[in-house]
Every structure is written in C-alpha cells, then in structure tokens.
Amino acid sequence: NSFCTLLEAGHRLSPLAAADHPLVPVPMEQQQRVQVSVRIRPVIAGGSAMHQQEQYEHIAATRTGDNGVSLQEHKLDEACRSSAFQFDYVFDSDSTQLEVYEDAVVDLIDAALQGGSNATILAYGQTGSGKTHSMLGDVRPNPLDDQLLTPQSGIFLRVLSDLLAFRERRADKTHVVIGLSCVEIYNEKIRDLFGGSSADDPPPPLKAVMVDEHVLLPGLIVKEVMTLNSVFNELQLAIQRRQSRATGANKESSRSHCLFTVDVLQR
Ligand code: ADP
Ligand code: MG
C-alpha cells in the first residue's frame, strides 16, 4: 500500500508585517519547525490497474505504536526485509479526515490566528497515494443538506470553515478579512486558477519575481472569502481549470502542483 506525507512548517511573520498587529508572541518551540506526518492509504477495490494489482500484494506499510511505521519489503526467494521509521504523526489506513485535521493541522490554525505565524501544509507522495484525498477530499456540496462539511471533506475546507467560524465569533470585536488565491504549477509554468472568464478558458499565466528572499506573484487574484458556500464554488472552478492528464496510476491525476494561499488580516 502506498502512503502520502504531510509536511507542515510554521514560521514567524517578518517583524514588519507583525508590527501592524497586536499579536501574541509565538512560543520559541513553535517557531521555525517542520513536522512530518504519514498517512497510509487503504487498498482500494476496483479502480485503476495499479489499484487492482494492489489487492494481490503484501501490505508494505504498517503503523507501529503511536508514531512509527514499519515497511516490509517482500521479494521472491528472499527473506522479508523490514525497516522502521518515526514521524510526528502516523495515520493508519482507517484514519478519518477529521482525525488528520484535528491531530496534525488545527494547532497551526490556532497559531496563525492567535500568534500571527505563517503555516504551510504540503502533501507529498507518489501519484495515487492520497494527496488530493487528504488535502481536498470530497468537495461536492451535498444538495440535500446545508451541512457543507461532510466526513469526506479534506484539510482545505476544514481550515476555511474554522477560519470563517473565527471571523464570525470575532465579528463584534475585530475586523477579520480572509483572502484566498489559487495557482497551479505545471511544467514550471505558473497559472492563476482564479483567472479567466469561463471555466474552460486556459487560466492566465503568472510570472514569479524574487524580492530579497520572497517569491512574489504580481497580478495574483486574491478573492475575499465570506462564506463556506462561496469557497465551494471557487474551489470547483479552480479544480476544473486544473490541467488534468490521465496516468496509468490514476485516471484523475493532474500531474501538477496546486497551491492555495489563505491570507488572514485582523484589525
Ligand atoms: P494523489 O492525489 O496522491 O494522486 P488521490 O488523493 O487522488 O491521490 O487518491 C487516489 C485514490 O485513492 C482516490 O480514488 C482517492 O479517493 C483514494 N484514497 C486516497 N486516500 C484514501 C483514504 N485515506 N481513504 C480512502 N480512499 C482514499
Ligand atoms: Mg492528486
């Protein structure tokens, strides 16, 4: 079975950016740190050739204890070799979207809202290992239910849902603005997935420029997020615009990198 890795990094805002806001300092141990979580994907019935093949293979990765993964390599006529690794969090094949969010992500959102830190969540892994499932999950709004988050909703919608709930709670005290942008990096070209007049139009290209240590994208479209419903609509448009190429491993695989940036301003 394959697994994907979630990398998270938190780092302090630059002093200039932080100076405008009355922020609570981020504790030393939360600054500049990277956490690595592993999520083991279950074997999937049916689907692509790769997934069908998996059903007849040995389970390669198993969770050991709270934070360990044991990998077994089975080869014909050879004794099974195994290696053990430790991670910050290990999510087994029966882990839920909510568990992943609550264990590995929610503290980053708190740190960003309370302490003004920046946070990045990166999913890394081979095609078909569960990156899109973990990050986006199911993004179809359920028309029979006004409950927009479902058990299948991934990290991204849960983050936006919590940020919007925070904005609601603070409405009488603080002015909170949530901005969202979405770019795709495909063959080293950057495109704005919020640009273009219709969903079938190719998204407009962006040029990255380096200013000191910062990578900037002049002309990037940032949309203000008011409701979770609007996030669904924007997200569905962006997903449609994402370049999709079929691969042997995963029909839906886009073979591109997708980058969402969420800006939270508090005044
Ligand atoms: P990637 O984005 O890494 O290429 P996907 O997220 O598209 O991979 O996952 C490949 C397939 O496996 C999809 O059909 C997805 O729904 C399914 N899948 C991935 N992770 C899980 C999981 N933890 N539980 C159930 N199904 C999963
Ligand atoms: Mg994917």
Side-chain angles (χ1 to χ4, degrees):
N1 47 350
S2 58
F3 51 90
C4 75
T5 313
L6 301 172
L7 286 174
E8 302 151 1
H11 58 90
R12 276 298 263 143
L13 283 178
S14 70
L16 191 68
D20 302 339
H21 303 285
L23 297 171
V24 186
V26 175
M28 205 53 175
E29 70 273 13
Q30 279 178 25
Q31 295 183 26
Q32 297 287 355
R33 64 179 193 149
V34 175
Q35 292 196 340
V36 183
S37 311
V38 164
R39 186 178 198 183
I40 301 171
R41 171 169 67 61
V43 174
I44 293 163
S48 66
M50 185 187 100
H51 289 153
Q52 284 170 29
Q53 174 72 24
E54 260 177 20
Q55 325 223 4
Y56 307 102
E57 289 172 357
H58 290 281
I59 297 287
T62 33
R63 176 177 159 163
T64 50
D66 280 345
N67 303 84
V69 171
S70 154
L71 290 186
Q72 284 98 28
E73 204 183 346
H74 296 267
K75 282 193 181 150
L76 272 182
D77 305 328
E78 269 181 44
C80 166
R81 277 192 293 181
S82 82
S83 359
F85 301 92
Q86 293 285 314
F87 296 94
D88 291 294
Y89 297 98
V90 174
F91 299 99
D92 218 338
S93 56
D94 58 5
S95 62
T96 64
Q97 301 282 59
L98 182 64
E99 275 163 15
V100 172
Y101 179 69
E102 289 193 333
D103 291 355
V105 180
V106 85
D107 286 352
L108 292 174
I109 306 306
D110 280 346
L113 292 175
Q114 311 297 337
S117 62
N118 286 331
T120 302
I121 303 167
L122 176 79
Y124 173 88
Q126 78 180 76
T127 298
S129 59
K131 301 181 295 297
T132 302
H133 176 82
S134 297
M135 295 301 252
L136 296 179
D138 195 357
V139 288
R140 281 166 303 174
N142 183 350
L144 299 176
D145 196 340
D146 56 19
Q147 193 71 33
L148 287 171
L149 282 190
T150 72
Q152 294 308 315
S153 301
I155 290 170
F156 178 77
L157 286 169
R158 292 173 194 277
V159 168
L160 265 300
S161 169
D162 275 0
L163 292 178
L164 285 163
F166 173 83
R167 197 179 77 131
E168 193 98 320
R169 282 200 304 278
R170 290 297 173 93
D172 53 340
K173 293 192 215 85
T174 328
H175 185 55
V176 180
V177 179
I178 302 168
L180 178 64
S181 62
C182 177
V183 301
E184 174 193 57
I185 306 170
Y186 185 82
N187 284 344
E188 295 180 26
K189 291 198 178 67
I190 307 170
R191 290 178 186 279
D192 194 331
L193 293 182
F194 283 166
S197 42
S198 84
D200 308 324
D201 274 359
L206 289 168
K207 257 209 149 46
V209 293
M210 283 291 284
V211 175
D212 300 327
E213 291 169 357
H214 304 278
V215 180
L216 303 179
L217 295 174
L220 176 71
I221 297 170
V222 180
K223 297 204 172 180
E224 187 179 352
V225 174
M226 309 294 277
T227 64
L228 200 56
N229 210 352
S230 68
V231 175
F232 267 99
N233 296 334
E234 300 296 350
L235 190 58
Q236 275 166 331
L237 261 177
I239 291 171
Q240 274 176 43
R241 290 197 177 110
R242 228 182 136 184
Q243 249 161 33
S244 284
R245 306 274 156 105
T247 68
N250 180 353
K251 275 210 296 257
E252 302 271 300
S253 171
S254 50
R255 305 180 88 192
S256 70
H257 306 286
C258 186
L259 191 76
F260 292 101
T261 309
V262 185
D263 295 311
V264 183
L265 303 172
Q266 301 183 55
R267 201 189 288 262

PDB file of all heavy atoms in Angstrom, residues 132-162:
ATOM      1  N   THR A 132      -4.529  14.349  -2.914  1.00  0.00           N
ATOM      2  CA  THR A 132      -5.745  15.125  -3.172  1.00  0.00           C
ATOM      3  C   THR A 132      -6.833  14.734  -2.181  1.00  0.00           C
ATOM      4  O   THR A 132      -7.558  15.580  -1.663  1.00  0.00           O
ATOM      5  CB  THR A 132      -6.217  14.907  -4.630  1.00  0.00           C
ATOM      6  OG1 THR A 132      -5.157  15.291  -5.505  1.00  0.00           O
ATOM      7  CG2 THR A 132      -7.453  15.731  -4.946  1.00  0.00           C
ATOM      8  N   HIS A 133      -6.930  13.452  -1.888  1.00  0.00           N
ATOM      9  CA  HIS A 133      -7.925  12.985  -0.920  1.00  0.00           C
ATOM     10  C   HIS A 133      -7.711  13.673   0.436  1.00  0.00           C
ATOM     11  O   HIS A 133      -8.660  14.134   1.062  1.00  0.00           O
ATOM     12  CB  HIS A 133      -7.823  11.472  -0.767  1.00  0.00           C
ATOM     13  CG  HIS A 133      -8.738  10.909   0.279  1.00  0.00           C
ATOM     14  ND1 HIS A 133     -10.062  10.652   0.036  1.00  0.00           N
ATOM     15  CD2 HIS A 133      -8.507  10.587   1.579  1.00  0.00           C
ATOM     16  CE1 HIS A 133     -10.620  10.177   1.137  1.00  0.00           C
ATOM     17  NE2 HIS A 133      -9.702  10.126   2.097  1.00  0.00           N
ATOM     18  N   SER A 134      -6.470  13.745   0.887  1.00  0.00           N
ATOM     19  CA  SER A 134      -6.202  14.342   2.194  1.00  0.00           C
ATOM     20  C   SER A 134      -6.386  15.858   2.170  1.00  0.00           C
ATOM     21  O   SER A 134      -6.951  16.425   3.103  1.00  0.00           O
ATOM     22  CB  SER A 134      -4.779  14.013   2.658  1.00  0.00           C
ATOM     23  OG  SER A 134      -4.645  12.616   2.835  1.00  0.00           O
ATOM     24  N   MET A 135      -5.919  16.514   1.123  1.00  0.00           N
ATOM     25  CA  MET A 135      -5.973  17.975   1.097  1.00  0.00           C
ATOM     26  C   MET A 135      -7.369  18.486   0.763  1.00  0.00           C
ATOM     27  O   MET A 135      -7.850  19.404   1.405  1.00  0.00           O
ATOM     28  CB  MET A 135      -4.990  18.532   0.064  1.00  0.00           C
ATOM     29  CG  MET A 135      -3.547  18.246   0.403  1.00  0.00           C
ATOM     30  SD  MET A 135      -3.082  18.952   2.000  1.00  0.00           S
ATOM     31  CE  MET A 135      -2.035  20.283   1.473  1.00  0.00           C
ATOM     32  N   LEU A 136      -7.999  17.925  -0.269  1.00  0.00           N
ATOM     33  CA  LEU A 136      -9.309  18.434  -0.698  1.00  0.00           C
ATOM     34  C   LEU A 136     -10.439  17.484  -0.316  1.00  0.00           C
ATOM     35  O   LEU A 136     -11.502  17.928   0.089  1.00  0.00           O
ATOM     36  CB  LEU A 136      -9.322  18.650  -2.216  1.00  0.00           C
ATOM     37  CG  LEU A 136      -8.354  19.701  -2.753  1.00  0.00           C
ATOM     38  CD1 LEU A 136      -8.465  19.794  -4.258  1.00  0.00           C
ATOM     39  CD2 LEU A 136      -8.635  21.058  -2.116  1.00  0.00           C
ATOM     40  N   GLY A 137     -10.214  16.201  -0.470  1.00  0.00           N
ATOM     41  CA  GLY A 137     -11.270  15.230  -0.190  1.00  0.00           C
ATOM     42  C   GLY A 137     -12.450  15.463  -1.108  1.00  0.00           C
ATOM     43  O   GLY A 137     -12.291  15.867  -2.255  1.00  0.00           O
ATOM     44  N   ASP A 138     -13.624  15.246  -0.568  1.00  0.00           N
ATOM     45  CA  ASP A 138     -14.836  15.403  -1.356  1.00  0.00           C
ATOM     46  C   ASP A 138     -15.245  16.876  -1.310  1.00  0.00           C
ATOM     47  O   ASP A 138     -15.480  17.410  -0.238  1.00  0.00           O
ATOM     48  CB  ASP A 138     -15.915  14.517  -0.726  1.00  0.00           C
ATOM     49  CG  ASP A 138     -17.077  14.324  -1.667  1.00  0.00           C
ATOM     50  OD1 ASP A 138     -17.055  14.910  -2.763  1.00  0.00           O
ATOM     51  OD2 ASP A 138     -18.004  13.594  -1.300  1.00  0.00           O
ATOM     52  N   VAL A 139     -15.349  17.515  -2.470  1.00  0.00           N
ATOM     53  CA  VAL A 139     -15.742  18.936  -2.458  1.00  0.00           C
ATOM     54  C   VAL A 139     -17.099  19.174  -3.101  1.00  0.00           C
ATOM     55  O   VAL A 139     -17.441  20.287  -3.415  1.00  0.00           O
ATOM     56  CB  VAL A 139     -14.698  19.870  -3.122  1.00  0.00           C
ATOM     57  CG1 VAL A 139     -13.475  20.001  -2.264  1.00  0.00           C
ATOM     58  CG2 VAL A 139     -14.342  19.396  -4.513  1.00  0.00           C
ATOM     59  N   ARG A 140     -17.869  18.100  -3.284  1.00  0.00           N
ATOM     60  CA  ARG A 140     -19.218  18.320  -3.814  1.00  0.00           C
ATOM     61  C   ARG A 140     -20.131  18.729  -2.680  1.00  0.00           C
ATOM     62  O   ARG A 140     -20.290  17.988  -1.710  1.00  0.00           O
ATOM     63  CB  ARG A 140     -19.759  17.029  -4.426  1.00  0.00           C
ATOM     64  CG  ARG A 140     -19.207  16.747  -5.805  1.00  0.00           C
ATOM     65  CD  ARG A 140     -19.511  15.336  -6.190  1.00  0.00           C
ATOM     66  NE  ARG A 140     -18.956  14.419  -5.186  1.00  0.00           N
ATOM     67  CZ  ARG A 140     -19.162  13.123  -5.185  1.00  0.00           C
ATOM     68  NH1 ARG A 140     -19.937  12.582  -6.074  1.00  0.00           N
ATOM     69  NH2 ARG A 140     -18.598  12.362  -4.258  1.00  0.00           N
ATOM     70  N   PRO A 141     -20.741  19.908  -2.776  1.00  0.00           N
ATOM     71  CA  PRO A 141     -21.679  20.252  -1.711  1.00  0.00           C
ATOM     72  C   PRO A 141     -22.885  19.321  -1.793  1.00  0.00           C
ATOM     73  O   PRO A 141     -23.313  18.950  -2.871  1.00  0.00           O
ATOM     74  CB  PRO A 141     -22.072  21.699  -2.010  1.00  0.00           C
ATOM     75  CG  PRO A 141     -21.588  22.000  -3.366  1.00  0.00           C
ATOM     76  CD  PRO A 141     -20.613  20.938  -3.789  1.00  0.00           C
ATOM     77  N   ASN A 142     -23.360  18.903  -0.641  1.00  0.00           N
ATOM     78  CA  ASN A 142     -24.488  17.987  -0.595  1.00  0.00           C
ATOM     79  C   ASN A 142     -25.790  18.786  -0.747  1.00  0.00           C
ATOM     80  O   ASN A 142     -26.153  19.546   0.131  1.00  0.00           O
ATOM     81  CB  ASN A 142     -24.457  17.250   0.752  1.00  0.00           C
ATOM     82  CG  ASN A 142     -25.555  16.237   0.856  1.00  0.00           C
ATOM     83  OD1 ASN A 142     -26.449  16.203   0.013  1.00  0.00           O
ATOM     84  ND2 ASN A 142     -25.491  15.412   1.883  1.00  0.00           N
ATOM     85  N   PRO A 143     -26.477  18.614  -1.885  1.00  0.00           N
ATOM     86  CA  PRO A 143     -27.648  19.464  -2.121  1.00  0.00           C
ATOM     87  C   PRO A 143     -28.806  19.181  -1.173  1.00  0.00           C
ATOM     88  O   PRO A 143     -29.699  19.995  -1.021  1.00  0.00           O
ATOM     89  CB  PRO A 143     -28.030  19.137  -3.578  1.00  0.00           C
ATOM     90  CG  PRO A 143     -27.449  17.803  -3.855  1.00  0.00           C
ATOM     91  CD  PRO A 143     -26.262  17.644  -2.965  1.00  0.00           C
ATOM     92  N   LEU A 144     -28.782  17.991  -0.526  1.00  0.00           N
ATOM     93  CA  LEU A 144     -29.890  17.646   0.357  1.00  0.00           C
ATOM     94  C   LEU A 144     -29.665  18.161   1.778  1.00  0.00           C
ATOM     95  O   LEU A 144     -30.486  18.004   2.652  1.00  0.00           O
ATOM     96  CB  LEU A 144     -30.054  16.116   0.417  1.00  0.00           C
ATOM     97  CG  LEU A 144     -30.377  15.442  -0.902  1.00  0.00           C
ATOM     98  CD1 LEU A 144     -30.420  13.932  -0.721  1.00  0.00           C
ATOM     99  CD2 LEU A 144     -31.718  15.956  -1.421  1.00  0.00           C
ATOM    100  N   ASP A 145     -28.517  18.774   1.971  1.00  0.00           N
ATOM    101  CA  ASP A 145     -28.131  19.059   3.337  1.00  0.00           C
ATOM    102  C   ASP A 145     -27.405  20.393   3.330  1.00  0.00           C
ATOM    103  O   ASP A 145     -26.539  20.608   2.487  1.00  0.00           O
ATOM    104  CB  ASP A 145     -27.154  17.938   3.744  1.00  0.00           C
ATOM    105  CG  ASP A 145     -26.964  17.869   5.230  1.00  0.00           C
ATOM    106  OD1 ASP A 145     -27.248  18.874   5.916  1.00  0.00           O
ATOM    107  OD2 ASP A 145     -26.501  16.826   5.688  1.00  0.00           O
ATOM    108  N   ASP A 146     -27.727  21.275   4.232  1.00  0.00           N
ATOM    109  CA  ASP A 146     -26.973  22.524   4.205  1.00  0.00           C
ATOM    110  C   ASP A 146     -25.709  22.441   5.058  1.00  0.00           C
ATOM    111  O   ASP A 146     -25.002  23.416   5.254  1.00  0.00           O
ATOM    112  CB  ASP A 146     -27.840  23.727   4.572  1.00  0.00           C
ATOM    113  CG  ASP A 146     -28.509  23.554   5.908  1.00  0.00           C
ATOM    114  OD1 ASP A 146     -28.043  22.711   6.713  1.00  0.00           O
ATOM    115  OD2 ASP A 146     -29.496  24.242   6.139  1.00  0.00           O
ATOM    116  N   GLN A 147     -25.458  21.256   5.536  1.00  0.00           N
ATOM    117  CA  GLN A 147     -24.204  20.998   6.237  1.00  0.00           C
ATOM    118  C   GLN A 147     -23.123  20.806   5.168  1.00  0.00           C
ATOM    119  O   GLN A 147     -23.073  19.767   4.523  1.00  0.00           O
ATOM    120  CB  GLN A 147     -24.376  19.717   7.061  1.00  0.00           C
ATOM    121  CG  GLN A 147     -23.317  19.453   8.086  1.00  0.00           C
ATOM    122  CD  GLN A 147     -23.414  20.405   9.250  1.00  0.00           C
ATOM    123  OE1 GLN A 147     -24.499  20.825   9.632  1.00  0.00           O
ATOM    124  NE2 GLN A 147     -22.274  20.773   9.808  1.00  0.00           N
ATOM    125  N   LEU A 148     -22.281  21.819   4.955  1.00  0.00           N
ATOM    126  CA  LEU A 148     -21.368  21.739   3.817  1.00  0.00           C
ATOM    127  C   LEU A 148     -20.183  20.811   4.062  1.00  0.00           C
ATOM    128  O   LEU A 148     -19.690  20.160   3.160  1.00  0.00           O
ATOM    129  CB  LEU A 148     -20.866  23.135   3.435  1.00  0.00           C
ATOM    130  CG  LEU A 148     -21.916  24.001   2.735  1.00  0.00           C
ATOM    131  CD1 LEU A 148     -21.413  25.418   2.593  1.00  0.00           C
ATOM    132  CD2 LEU A 148     -22.282  23.432   1.380  1.00  0.00           C
ATOM    133  N   LEU A 149     -19.721  20.762   5.310  1.00  0.00           N
ATOM    134  CA  LEU A 149     -18.616  19.841   5.585  1.00  0.00           C
ATOM    135  C   LEU A 149     -19.187  18.443   5.749  1.00  0.00           C
ATOM    136  O   LEU A 149     -20.161  18.246   6.466  1.00  0.00           O
ATOM    137  CB  LEU A 149     -17.898  20.215   6.879  1.00  0.00           C
ATOM    138  CG  LEU A 149     -16.922  21.378   6.856  1.00  0.00           C
ATOM    139  CD1 LEU A 149     -16.146  21.418   8.164  1.00  0.00           C
ATOM    140  CD2 LEU A 149     -15.965  21.307   5.685  1.00  0.00           C
ATOM    141  N   THR A 150     -18.593  17.481   5.079  1.00  0.00           N
ATOM    142  CA  THR A 150     -19.019  16.091   5.243  1.00  0.00           C
ATOM    143  C   THR A 150     -17.844  15.329   5.847  1.00  0.00           C
ATOM    144  O   THR A 150     -16.727  15.847   5.897  1.00  0.00           O
ATOM    145  CB  THR A 150     -19.374  15.447   3.884  1.00  0.00           C
ATOM    146  OG1 THR A 150     -18.148  15.242   3.166  1.00  0.00           O
ATOM    147  CG2 THR A 150     -20.301  16.333   3.065  1.00  0.00           C
ATOM    148  N   PRO A 151     -18.054  14.073   6.277  1.00  0.00           N
ATOM    149  CA  PRO A 151     -16.921  13.306   6.808  1.00  0.00           C
ATOM    150  C   PRO A 151     -15.796  13.166   5.780  1.00  0.00           C
ATOM    151  O   PRO A 151     -14.648  12.922   6.146  1.00  0.00           O
ATOM    152  CB  PRO A 151     -17.546  11.947   7.129  1.00  0.00           C
ATOM    153  CG  PRO A 151     -18.992  12.243   7.363  1.00  0.00           C
ATOM    154  CD  PRO A 151     -19.330  13.364   6.429  1.00  0.00           C
ATOM    155  N   GLN A 152     -16.120  13.346   4.490  1.00  0.00           N
ATOM    156  CA  GLN A 152     -15.102  13.202   3.438  1.00  0.00           C
ATOM    157  C   GLN A 152     -14.383  14.504   3.096  1.00  0.00           C
ATOM    158  O   GLN A 152     -13.514  14.511   2.237  1.00  0.00           O
ATOM    159  CB  GLN A 152     -15.752  12.627   2.167  1.00  0.00           C
ATOM    160  CG  GLN A 152     -16.263  11.206   2.331  1.00  0.00           C
ATOM    161  CD  GLN A 152     -15.188  10.285   2.883  1.00  0.00           C
ATOM    162  OE1 GLN A 152     -14.044  10.299   2.442  1.00  0.00           O
ATOM    163  NE2 GLN A 152     -15.553   9.509   3.886  1.00  0.00           N
ATOM    164  N   SER A 153     -14.779  15.610   3.712  1.00  0.00           N
ATOM    165  CA  SER A 153     -14.112  16.881   3.413  1.00  0.00           C
ATOM    166  C   SER A 153     -12.668  16.827   3.886  1.00  0.00           C
ATOM    167  O   SER A 153     -12.384  16.346   4.978  1.00  0.00           O
ATOM    168  CB  SER A 153     -14.818  18.040   4.121  1.00  0.00           C
ATOM    169  OG  SER A 153     -16.158  18.122   3.718  1.00  0.00           O
ATOM    170  N   GLY A 154     -11.783  17.357   3.059  1.00  0.00           N
ATOM    171  CA  GLY A 154     -10.366  17.321   3.386  1.00  0.00           C
ATOM    172  C   GLY A 154      -9.909  18.519   4.204  1.00  0.00           C
ATOM    173  O   GLY A 154     -10.716  19.346   4.654  1.00  0.00           O
ATOM    174  N   ILE A 155      -8.586  18.611   4.364  1.00  0.00           N
ATOM    175  CA  ILE A 155      -7.973  19.630   5.211  1.00  0.00           C
ATOM    176  C   ILE A 155      -8.394  21.041   4.793  1.00  0.00           C
ATOM    177  O   ILE A 155      -8.759  21.873   5.617  1.00  0.00           O
ATOM    178  CB  ILE A 155      -6.434  19.491   5.140  1.00  0.00           C
ATOM    179  CG1 ILE A 155      -5.994  18.207   5.856  1.00  0.00           C
ATOM    180  CG2 ILE A 155      -5.736  20.713   5.731  1.00  0.00           C
ATOM    181  CD1 ILE A 155      -4.525  17.860   5.643  1.00  0.00           C
ATOM    182  N   PHE A 156      -8.353  21.310   3.488  1.00  0.00           N
ATOM    183  CA  PHE A 156      -8.549  22.667   2.992  1.00  0.00           C
ATOM    184  C   PHE A 156      -9.895  23.257   3.434  1.00  0.00           C
ATOM    185  O   PHE A 156      -9.964  24.365   3.965  1.00  0.00           O
ATOM    186  CB  PHE A 156      -8.437  22.660   1.466  1.00  0.00           C
ATOM    187  CG  PHE A 156      -8.664  23.998   0.847  1.00  0.00           C
ATOM    188  CD1 PHE A 156      -7.678  24.968   0.889  1.00  0.00           C
ATOM    189  CD2 PHE A 156      -9.869  24.282   0.241  1.00  0.00           C
ATOM    190  CE1 PHE A 156      -7.893  26.212   0.332  1.00  0.00           C
ATOM    191  CE2 PHE A 156     -10.088  25.531  -0.330  1.00  0.00           C
ATOM    192  CZ  PHE A 156      -9.106  26.491  -0.286  1.00  0.00           C
ATOM    193  N   LEU A 157     -10.976  22.495   3.237  1.00  0.00           N
ATOM    194  CA  LEU A 157     -12.294  23.019   3.593  1.00  0.00           C
ATOM    195  C   LEU A 157     -12.436  23.156   5.104  1.00  0.00           C
ATOM    196  O   LEU A 157     -13.119  24.042   5.594  1.00  0.00           O
ATOM    197  CB  LEU A 157     -13.387  22.116   3.030  1.00  0.00           C
ATOM    198  CG  LEU A 157     -13.589  22.247   1.523  1.00  0.00           C
ATOM    199  CD1 LEU A 157     -14.492  21.143   1.011  1.00  0.00           C
ATOM    200  CD2 LEU A 157     -14.163  23.609   1.162  1.00  0.00           C
ATOM    201  N   ARG A 158     -11.786  22.268   5.844  1.00  0.00           N
ATOM    202  CA  ARG A 158     -11.859  22.352   7.298  1.00  0.00           C
ATOM    203  C   ARG A 158     -11.128  23.599   7.805  1.00  0.00           C
ATOM    204  O   ARG A 158     -11.571  24.257   8.741  1.00  0.00           O
ATOM    205  CB  ARG A 158     -11.284  21.088   7.946  1.00  0.00           C
ATOM    206  CG  ARG A 158     -12.156  19.880   7.673  1.00  0.00           C
ATOM    207  CD  ARG A 158     -11.568  18.562   8.149  1.00  0.00           C
ATOM    208  NE  ARG A 158     -12.313  17.476   7.548  1.00  0.00           N
ATOM    209  CZ  ARG A 158     -13.463  17.005   8.029  1.00  0.00           C
ATOM    210  NH1 ARG A 158     -13.955  17.481   9.161  1.00  0.00           N
ATOM    211  NH2 ARG A 158     -14.113  16.049   7.402  1.00  0.00           N
ATOM    212  N   VAL A 159     -10.002  23.918   7.168  1.00  0.00           N
ATOM    213  CA  VAL A 159      -9.268  25.135   7.533  1.00  0.00           C
ATOM    214  C   VAL A 159     -10.157  26.356   7.278  1.00  0.00           C
ATOM    215  O   VAL A 159     -10.342  27.201   8.161  1.00  0.00           O
ATOM    216  CB  VAL A 159      -7.964  25.264   6.711  1.00  0.00           C
ATOM    217  CG1 VAL A 159      -7.355  26.652   6.867  1.00  0.00           C
ATOM    218  CG2 VAL A 159      -6.955  24.188   7.126  1.00  0.00           C
ATOM    219  N   LEU A 160     -10.723  26.440   6.073  1.00  0.00           N
ATOM    220  CA  LEU A 160     -11.552  27.594   5.729  1.00  0.00           C
ATOM    221  C   LEU A 160     -12.774  27.681   6.637  1.00  0.00           C
ATOM    222  O   LEU A 160     -13.173  28.762   7.053  1.00  0.00           O
ATOM    223  CB  LEU A 160     -11.989  27.515   4.260  1.00  0.00           C
ATOM    224  CG  LEU A 160     -11.135  28.262   3.235  1.00  0.00           C
ATOM    225  CD1 LEU A 160     -11.110  29.755   3.544  1.00  0.00           C
ATOM    226  CD2 LEU A 160      -9.732  27.765   3.137  1.00  0.00           C
ATOM    227  N   SER A 161     -13.357  26.519   6.964  1.00  0.00           N
ATOM    228  CA  SER A 161     -14.536  26.506   7.835  1.00  0.00           C
ATOM    229  C   SER A 161     -14.183  27.055   9.215  1.00  0.00           C
ATOM    230  O   SER A 161     -14.910  27.870   9.784  1.00  0.00           O
ATOM    231  CB  SER A 161     -15.053  25.076   7.927  1.00  0.00           C
ATOM    232  OG  SER A 161     -16.008  24.965   8.927  1.00  0.00           O
ATOM    233  N   ASP A 162     -13.029  26.655   9.753  1.00  0.00           N
ATOM    234  CA  ASP A 162     -12.619  27.149  11.068  1.00  0.00           C
ATOM    235  C   ASP A 162     -12.260  28.631  11.022  1.00  0.00           C
ATOM    236  O   ASP A 162     -12.541  29.378  11.951  1.00  0.00           O
ATOM    237  CB  ASP A 162     -11.448  26.322  11.620  1.00  0.00           C
ATOM    238  CG  ASP A 162     -11.946  25.065  12.324  1.00  0.00           C
ATOM    239  OD1 ASP A 162     -13.181  24.867  12.374  1.00  0.00           O
ATOM    240  OD2 ASP A 162     -11.113  24.287  12.822  1.00  0.00           O
TER     241      ASP A 162
END
